[in-house]
């Protein structure tokens, strides 16, 4: 075990290296580039064995990754934002092939307008593809999640690809102390590649992705995919247990902070949850009973864990870093769906949208979240999401609109 | 005029093994299926077919397949990337000793003209550029056949399709030249009518490492509008009129493997097909027929001139 300073991107590359992934089809996109550049260097100097191949697009890259995984080779891929969307067709295809590999997404807002800053609309667009989704908060968790991801993906009960998400810039380029697990221990944690038979060979002809022209058979295969993703809950818990035993760190499907006696729960995902923890510390210092719940696993959706963690609370606020136009916060909707089935559900449930395109979420905005949530009346019916933006930021936007010749509309809260 | 053949003199010399069994949901008289059957026969059984969405996707419908080889269906735009992942993975497995060398497979992309020339061109261009060691077979029925015969960039000038009901206003994209410009070791055109020429070309390509690309004129009874029994006759007429030149390019140098000495007029090929009926009935469209003939003549004048020098 070594402790070193790594960016989130470098931690992702180390995850692939320690897992001894031996195939990396690559296509660059900001802010993921550091991952593939690091891997390219390791394949070049012999630290990693196998093949690193530059592809012509994310669509091709994802196809090559799926095909290599179908052939039985441990494969790693990474992308971001528009690249994930460009490959979206193939995400559904390779999940349908039921092949295990790990895809890292370095999340970034979507065009248009084009931007580099992070939010979760890219990765959440993949939520129904069949990929399992793990969302990391720290650089350490990026590395650990990749190791756990191979373990889950390659389990015969699952056999679907896993996506590990980290926030662009805030995590991709932030250097944090990271413990590099001992390679021998990782080898013991992950199944040996030799234990998986090659998917295609001369004496064992096989077919994948064969056309199915009747609804019942199609329904069967789609539902099998659903059951496999569901099965990942069990496999994840087993993997988490063994991971903790070997490496001393435990990663759950959800991650609670100051939850025990919390009356109000703030729900977040990704690296901004660290800011949420700081807000909780401040509120706790003021004597307010607030806790944070971070969603680490988003597919399969941690329904039972959420229900158990939220049952009996007074209020829940979901802070989405995504926006589904015409609906609102995506995770809010999914949390609300869980609570609708809770016998003792919180009477207050509020939705906030913040941090889009890497926009900072300030102390004042966190305070606004708490204030709105605590002042909300119980069962007050559907309320649209509150867009978080400070007066200063709103004035900045107004200034730009005026420079560009637009008369600012009264769209900002 | 035919070139000297090194491996096969007549169809009797072709291997007897079959890897495409009888029975599939494909159309009767499909020239593409005949091409695949012949191609597979000569290439051998140790093959994984990487298929792009198209007519041939319906060849294997779960749980049935006429293929005795392996099959991977990819998206319409990325069969060559699928071939890349498979080839690389098979090489890794062999190098690491997980797969014995005699279990190795040839990777064969099977795609229609739509995928080949439109959506899939980017991934194939990338694969050729990277020198991927794979086979590519395009069955060119000159339209999006699987969806009901809409115009593709392979649809020839004047031909009727579901989306060019007045006749296609453009000429075919020249996929042979697009591929050749990437400088792969081998590119060829083939025809289901000439099995020996097809087989000979596979053997010439076999020792070459890198992209080996083939485009076959896939006669299409429902799309072109002719009786299935007439398929071979039309494929033959395409060669005899000079509309479908049989050629190859080894390391970029082109040679024709059959040069029709007296080319038949293009009408002989056009008139039996429903997709060209509007050129003959109710009024004869001499302008369009002449334009098609002129393009063929121009092609052969240039080809013959360059091969003589």
């Amino acid at each position: 075990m070594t402790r070193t300073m790594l960016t989130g991107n470098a931690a992702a590359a180390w995850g692939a290296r320690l897992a001894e992934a031996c195939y990396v089809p690559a296509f660059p996109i900001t802010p993921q580039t550091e991952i593939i550049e690091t891997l390219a260097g390791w394949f070049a100097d012999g630290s990693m064995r196998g093949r690193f191949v530059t592809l012509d697009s994310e669509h091709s890259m994802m196809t090559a990754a799926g095909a290599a995984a179908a052939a039985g080779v441990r494969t790693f891929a990474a992308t971001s934002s528009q690249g994930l969307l460009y490959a979206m067709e193939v995400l559904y295809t390779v999940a349908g092939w039921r092949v295990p590999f790990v895809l890292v997404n370095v999340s970034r807002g979507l065009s248009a307008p084009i931007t580099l800053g992070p939010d979760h609309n890219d990765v959440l667009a993949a939520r129904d593809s069949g990929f399992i989704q793990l969302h990391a908060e720290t650089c350490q968790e990026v590395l650990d999640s990749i190791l756990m991801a191979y373990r889950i993906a390659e389990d015969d009960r699952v056999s679907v690809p896993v996506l590990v998400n980290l926030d662009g810039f805030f995590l991709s380029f932030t250097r944090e102390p990271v413990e590099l697990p001992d390679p021998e221990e990782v080898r013991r944690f992950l199944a040996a590649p030799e234990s998986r038979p090659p998917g295609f060979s001369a004496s064992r002809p096989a077919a994948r992705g064969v056309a199915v022209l009747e609804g019942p058979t199609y329904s069967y295969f789609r539902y099998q995919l659903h059951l496999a993703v569901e099965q990942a809950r069990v496999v994840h818990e087993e993997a988490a247990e063994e991971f903790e035993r070997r490496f001393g760190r435990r990663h759950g499907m959800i991650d609670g902070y100051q939850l025990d006696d919390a009356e109000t729960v703030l729900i977040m995902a990704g690296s901004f949850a660290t800011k949420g923890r700081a807000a909780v510390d401040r509120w706790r210092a003021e004597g307010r009973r607030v806790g944070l719940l971070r969603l680490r696993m988003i597919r399969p959706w941690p329904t039972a864990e959420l229900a158990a963690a939220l049952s009996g609370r007074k209020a829940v606020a979901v802070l989405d870093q995504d926006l589904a136009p015409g609906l609102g916060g995506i995770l809010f909707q999914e949390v609300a769906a869980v609570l609708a089935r809770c016998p003792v559900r919180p009477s207050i449930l509020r939705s906030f949208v913040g941090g889009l395109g890497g926009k900072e979420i300030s102390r004042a905005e966190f305070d606004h979240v708490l204030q709105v949530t605590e002042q909300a009346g119980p069962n007050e019916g559907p309320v649209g999401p509150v867009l978080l933006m400070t007066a200063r930021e709103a004035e900045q936007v107004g200034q730009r609109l005026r420079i560009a010749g637009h008369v600012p509309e009264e769209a900002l809260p | 005029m035919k070139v000297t053949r090194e491996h096969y003199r007549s169809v009797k010399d072709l291997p007897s093994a079959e890897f495409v069994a009888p029975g599939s949901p494909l159309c009767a008289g499909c020239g593409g299926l005949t091409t695949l059957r012949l191609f597979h026969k000569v290439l051998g059984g140790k093959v994984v077919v990487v298929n792009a969405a198209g007519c041939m996707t319906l060849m294997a419908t779960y749980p049935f397949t006429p293929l005795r080889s392996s099959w991977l269906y990819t998206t319409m735009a990325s069969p060559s990337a699928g071939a890349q992942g498979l080839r690389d993975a098979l090489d890794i497995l062999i190098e690491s000793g997980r797969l014995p060398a005699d279990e190795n497979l040839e990777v064969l992309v099977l795609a229609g003209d739509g995928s080949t020339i439109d959506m899939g061109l980017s991934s194939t261009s990338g694969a050729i550029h990277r020198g991927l060691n794979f086979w590519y077979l395009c069955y060119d029925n000159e339209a999006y056949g699987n969806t009901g015969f809409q115009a593709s960039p392979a649809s020839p000038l004047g031909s009727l399709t579901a989306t060019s009901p007045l006749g296609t206003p453009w000429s075919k994209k020249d996929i042979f030249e697009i591929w050749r410009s990437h400088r792969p070791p081998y590119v060829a055109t083939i025809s289901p009518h000439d099995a020996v020429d097809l087989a000979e070309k596979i053997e010439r390509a076999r020792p070459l490492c890198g992209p080996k690309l083939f485009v076959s004129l896939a006669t299409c009874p429902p799309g072109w509008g002719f009786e299935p029994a007439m398929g071979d006759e039309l494929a033959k007429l395409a060669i005899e009129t000079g509309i479908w030149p049989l050629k190859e390019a080894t390391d970029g140098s082109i040679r024709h493997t059959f040069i029709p000495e007296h080319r038949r007029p293009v009408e002989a090929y056009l008139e039996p097909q429903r997709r060209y009926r509007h050129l003959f009935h109710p009024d004869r469209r001499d302008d369009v027929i002449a334009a098609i003939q002129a393009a063929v003549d121009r092609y052969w004048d240039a080809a013959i001139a360059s091969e003589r020098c």
Side-chain angles (χ1 to χ4, degrees):
Chain A
M1 189 198 80
T2 321
R3 203 172 159 85
T4 183
M5 292 293 283
L6 293 179
T7 61
N9 278 345
W14 268 104
R17 174 171 166 166
L18 286 164
E20 296 179 288
C22 51
Y23 189 54
V24 179
F27 192 83
I29 178 170
T30 301
Q32 154 267 30
T33 41
E34 187 189 3
I35 300 175
I36 62 159
E37 287 170 1
T38 307
L39 294 173
W42 286 339
F43 276 98
D45 71 15
S47 319
M48 283 180 81
R49 278 199 293 268
R51 287 197 187 184
F52 174 94
V53 182
T54 53
L55 270 289
D56 43 276
S57 70
E58 290 91 348
H59 192 278
S60 285
M61 178 273 278
M62 207 67 74
T63 306
V73 163
R74 193 171 279 164
T75 300
F76 176 84
T79 189
S80 175
S81 186
Q82 298 294 119
L84 184 71
L85 263 65
Y86 195 42
M88 191 62 74
E89 182 195 18
V90 186
L91 258 64
Y92 279 72
T93 303
V94 297
W97 289 351
R98 299 291 305 276
V99 294
F101 69 95
V102 175
L103 167 69
V104 163
N105 183 65
V106 187
S107 56
R108 171 185 138 189
L110 295 171
S111 293
I114 190 166
T115 191
L116 297 176
D119 63 41
H120 298 152
N121 258 112
D122 58 350
V123 62
L124 292 181
R127 72 194 193 279
D128 301 331
S129 63
F131 274 60
I132 289 157
Q133 282 199 17
L134 302 175
H135 288 230
E137 184 186 344
T138 64
C139 296
Q140 182 72 60
E141 199 188 328
V142 170
L143 191 156
D144 293 355
S145 295
I146 290 170
L147 299 181
M148 287 180 67
Y150 278 107
R151 169 78 180 244
I152 296 162
E154 291 176 1
D155 191 290
D156 284 338
R157 290 166 289 177
V158 180
S159 197
V160 294
V162 179
L163 187 158
V164 174
N165 192 71
L166 62 130
D167 287 329
F169 293 83
F170 287 88
L171 212 48
S172 66
F173 300 135
T174 294
R175 223 169 268 272
E176 291 178 344
V178 173
E179 274 184 17
L180 293 178
D182 175 48
E184 278 305 319
E185 275 295 291
V186 175
R187 223 164 270 152
R188 280 189 280 271
F189 176 70
L190 294 176
E194 295 77 33
S195 64
R196 299 183 74 79
F200 297 95
S201 63
S203 60
R204 291 198 337 158
R208 273 188 204 265
V210 177
V212 169
L213 294 182
E214 347 72 64
T217 314
Y218 180 80
S219 306
Y220 170 82
F221 281 117
R222 293 308 291 177
Y223 200 70
Q224 285 297 311
L225 177 59
H226 167 67
L227 294 178
V229 175
E230 284 282 306
Q231 201 58 34
R233 301 172 199 283
V234 179
V235 180
H236 181 275
E237 281 317 281
E238 292 169 10
E241 218 162 89
E242 194 187 325
F243 194 92
E244 185 180 21
R245 210 166 51 239
R246 288 189 188 280
F247 307 109
R249 290 180 295 277
R250 173 109 188 170
H251 301 289
M253 291 184 242
I254 58 171
D255 173 23
Y257 182 67
Q258 300 280 18
L259 270 191
D260 289 350
D261 64 339
E263 287 174 347
T264 300
V265 177
L266 174 63
I267 299 182
M268 297 181 74
S271 65
F272 276 43
T274 304
K275 299 169 191 289
R277 284 175 207 272
V280 167
D281 286 343
R282 280 195 292 113
W283 296 330
R284 282 276 169 180
E286 292 164 14
R288 297 160 91 168
R289 288 162 69 179
V290 185
L292 180 119
L293 190 154
R294 180 173 65 94
L295 296 159
R296 179 167 169 274
M297 181 185 263
I298 287 191
R299 281 295 181 273
W301 184 240
T303 310
E305 291 71 17
L306 271 174
L310 298 179
S311 183
R313 311 288 178 178
K314 192 171 149 214
V316 171
V318 184
L319 209 173
D320 270 282
Q321 283 174 265
D322 58 79
L323 182 58
L327 176 72
I330 295 169
L331 297 178
F332 170 79
Q333 299 296 336
E334 299 209 337
V335 169
V338 170
L339 292 177
R341 283 176 277 166
C342 277
V344 200
R345 58 175 171 263
S347 55
I348 298 167
L349 179 61
R350 296 301 305 247
S351 172
F352 300 87
V353 169
L356 298 185
K359 196 193 87 62
E360 191 54 84
I361 302 178
S362 65
R363 287 171 64 135
E365 283 161 291
F366 276 108
D367 289 344
H368 185 67
V369 167
L370 189 63
Q371 192 190 355
V372 168
T373 305
E374 287 188 337
Q375 285 174 0
N379 304 317
E380 63 181 6
V383 183
V386 173
L387 177 70
L388 297 179
M389 191 175 285
T390 62
R392 189 153 166 268
E393 287 167 337
E395 174 45 34
Q396 271 177 2
V397 176
Q399 201 178 15
R400 289 190 170 113
L401 289 169
R402 282 189 296 276
I403 293 168
H406 286 282
V407 178
E409 295 165 18
E410 287 174 39
L412 296 174
Chain B
M1 190 198 79
K2 281 185 176 174
V3 297
T4 322
R5 288 167 171 165
E6 299 148 30
H7 304 90
Y8 302 100
R9 272 169 302 157
S10 81
V11 282
K12 288 181 192 157
D13 297 334
L14 296 186
S16 58
E18 294 286 352
F19 303 106
V20 183
S24 83
L26 297 190
C27 308
C30 171
L33 185 58
T34 306
T35 301
L36 176 66
R37 195 189 129 231
L38 294 169
F39 203 95
H40 213 327
K41 210 180 196 357
V42 180
L43 189 58
K46 294 182 173 184
V47 169
V48 52
V49 175
V50 189
N51 172 248
C55 291
M56 295 285 180
T57 302
L58 298 180
M59 187 164 58
T61 49
Y62 189 87
F64 305 107
T65 175
L67 284 176
R68 302 208 158 107
S69 49
S70 288
W71 174 267
L72 178 71
Y73 164 80
T74 65
T75 64
M76 191 164 177
S78 62
S80 298
Q84 180 82 48
L86 279 181
R87 182 69 269 152
D88 289 335
L90 289 165
D91 290 347
I92 290 168
L93 291 170
I94 291 167
E95 280 160 22
S96 66
R98 283 179 60 200
L99 191 68
D102 61 356
E103 290 280 355
N104 195 12
L105 296 168
E106 299 285 346
V107 180
L108 168 67
V109 167
L110 177 65
D113 51 288
S115 165
T116 297
I117 303 182
D118 266 346
M119 288 170 87
L121 185 55
S122 168
S123 91
T124 306
S125 170
I128 305 173
H129 170 249
R130 292 184 297 268
L132 179 67
N133 189 24
F134 78 127
W135 301 79
Y136 192 113
L137 174 58
C138 167
Y139 52 99
D140 179 4
N141 63 8
E142 308 194 311
Y144 288 102
N146 189 35
T147 41
F149 215 73
Q150 298 82 22
S152 90
S155 301
L157 177 69
S159 64
L160 291 190
T161 71
T163 51
S164 58
L166 301 177
T168 312
W170 307 295
S171 302
K172 283 178 78 111
K173 259 199 215 175
D174 192 343
I175 191 63
F176 181 90
E177 283 300 311
I178 293 170
W179 276 344
R180 192 173 75 95
S181 70
H182 288 66
R183 302 196 169 278
Y186 194 79
V187 194
T189 59
I190 51 176
S191 163
H193 170 69
D194 197 338
V196 181
D197 179 75
L198 181 158
E200 187 72 18
K201 284 170 174 168
I202 294 172
E203 293 305 338
R204 277 203 291 278
R206 202 191 292 274
L208 304 172
C209 187
K212 296 171 277 280
L213 311 155
F214 296 78
V215 54
S216 177
L217 184 67
T219 47
C220 175
W224 295 8
F226 63 84
E227 283 304 310
M230 227 200 128
D232 187 61
E233 180 62 22
L234 271 181
K236 185 171 166 230
L237 283 166
I239 296 167
E240 290 175 353
T241 54
I243 278 189
W244 190 256
L246 291 175
K247 58 183 170 179
E248 64 185 1
T250 310
D251 288 327
S253 315
I254 299 179
R255 87 168 169 163
H256 286 78
T257 53
F258 174 71
I259 299 175
E261 306 221 348
H262 305 287
R263 291 194 301 279
R264 300 182 63 173
V266 293
E267 284 105 306
Y269 170 75
L270 303 179
E271 204 166 2
Q273 301 181 47
R274 194 179 56 226
R275 63 176 173 156
Y276 291 114
R277 188 177 294 158
H278 64 295
L279 301 182
F280 301 93
H281 305 285
D283 302 310
R284 210 181 135 86
R285 291 291 306 276
D286 281 318
D287 53 337
V288 181
I289 298 167
I292 296 169
Q293 184 67 61
V296 171
D297 293 345
R298 255 195 324 274
Y299 173 87
W300 283 102
D301 289 349
I304 291 165
S306 73
E307 292 207 10
R308 274 198 188 125
C309 58

